[in-house]
Amino acid sequence: VRQPSTPVRVMCVCAPEDHTLLEQWEAHLRPLEQSGAIALWSADLVLAGSPRQKELYAHMAQAHLVILLLSADFFSAEDCMALMHQAIFLQRSRGTQVVPLLLRPVEWQVSPLASLSCMPSNGPAVAVWNNRDVAFDWCVRDLCHLLRLPVTSLLKMQQVPLSSTHYQNRQRLLRRVHSFWIDGLLEPSLQGTELIRLKLQTQPDIVANAWHT
């Protein structure tokens, strides 16, 4: 059982193509690491000449939390897929926490990770945000809530500003939903129906008028 004063051992896994995004994500985690809340590790720390695969599995076995940085390249990399399945196995057998972090848009919901909660919790993939620092900061907030750590960031709890393309797609979707559910199903279902008679009575004198006091 991990003691409260012991840092949470966090391991991050990503595809080689997402190395730059991994560095940005780890930079946002440095304050948590410097405070002693977490101990961060990723494949970048494997020394040259060391048995890479063996070290990856060994560190994952010791990790309290495994963060999988998802993208299309992640699901295309055999090493990433093997580590993903190992993380799921450790989650079921040892209770290791596994958290997906959506770096770039990909249909991760059809993967074995579909039942897990994904970061960022309130928006699309990190690469889609107008401000990537805000996206990663939001992910840090999600991580703090997961680990029950105090959230000190001053970032306002607000939705991600949508680009013009995303706004247009959102409006089209809302129109389709309204057309199908409201115009197509709800309104026709109420046509010709009899209103429920509530048998209400008006009794204005039953309550004392406070203005006369």
Side-chain angles (χ1 to χ4, degrees):
V1 178
R2 182 176 59 84
Q3 299 300 321
S5 59
T6 305
V8 178
R9 291 193 291 269
V10 179
M11 177 177 176
C12 297
V13 180
C14 79
E17 292 81 1
D18 296 320
H19 182 265
T20 300
L21 290 172
L22 171 63
E23 290 182 332
Q24 297 176 23
W25 166 236
E26 290 183 335
H28 280 267
L29 291 178
R30 292 303 174 202
L32 292 180
E33 186 176 40
Q34 293 165 358
S35 69
I38 67 172
L40 189 59
W41 193 90
S42 65
D44 287 349
L45 298 178
V46 177
L47 299 177
S50 301
R52 177 182 175 84
Q53 202 70 9
K54 183 178 179 180
E55 285 206 26
L56 290 173
Y57 279 87
H59 278 86
M60 181 172 287
Q62 299 173 1
H64 301 122
L65 172 65
V66 178
I67 301 178
L68 306 176
L69 282 66
L70 305 185
S71 66
D73 290 308
F74 178 92
F75 290 101
S76 299
E78 293 183 4
D79 290 346
C80 290
M81 294 303 293
L83 291 171
M84 179 192 75
H85 288 292
Q86 179 66 10
I88 295 174
F89 170 78
L90 292 175
Q91 180 190 44
R92 295 171 179 172
S93 60
R94 299 186 182 182
T96 302
Q97 290 181 300
V98 181
V99 179
L101 193 162
L102 189 58
L103 285 182
R104 294 185 283 131
V106 64
E107 290 297 328
W108 68 275
Q109 293 90 341
V110 299
S111 74
L113 304 173
S115 62
L116 303 179
S117 298
C118 188
M119 301 188 299
S121 60
N122 79 320
V126 169
V128 178
W129 289 51
N130 295 331
N131 189 323
R132 195 166 294 173
D133 284 330
V134 175
F136 279 130
D137 190 51
W138 199 284
C139 293
V140 173
R141 297 176 69 92
D142 291 337
L143 185 60
C144 288
H145 287 303
L146 176 65
L147 301 179
R148 298 181 180 178
L149 299 174
V151 178
T152 57
S153 173
L154 297 178
L155 179 66
K156 294 182 178 179
M157 301 293 287
Q158 60 186 6
Q159 294 293 330
V160 184
L162 298 177
S163 64
S164 58
T165 301
H166 284 87
Y167 178 79
Q168 293 176 2
N169 292 338
R170 176 185 175 88
Q171 294 303 311
R172 293 192 188 99
L173 178 61
L174 291 175
R175 285 195 295 269
R176 290 180 181 178
V177 170
H178 190 280
S179 175
F180 181 85
W181 291 104
I182 306 302
D183 298 336
L185 293 178
L186 181 59
E187 291 187 353
S189 68
L190 299 177
Q191 291 181 359
T193 58
E194 184 178 355
L195 297 179
I196 300 176
R197 298 181 181 179
L198 301 180
K199 299 181 180 180
L200 300 180
Q201 296 179 358
T202 302
Q203 297 182 358
D205 299 329
I206 202 170
V207 178
N209 191 340
W211 292 107
H212 298 316
T213 305

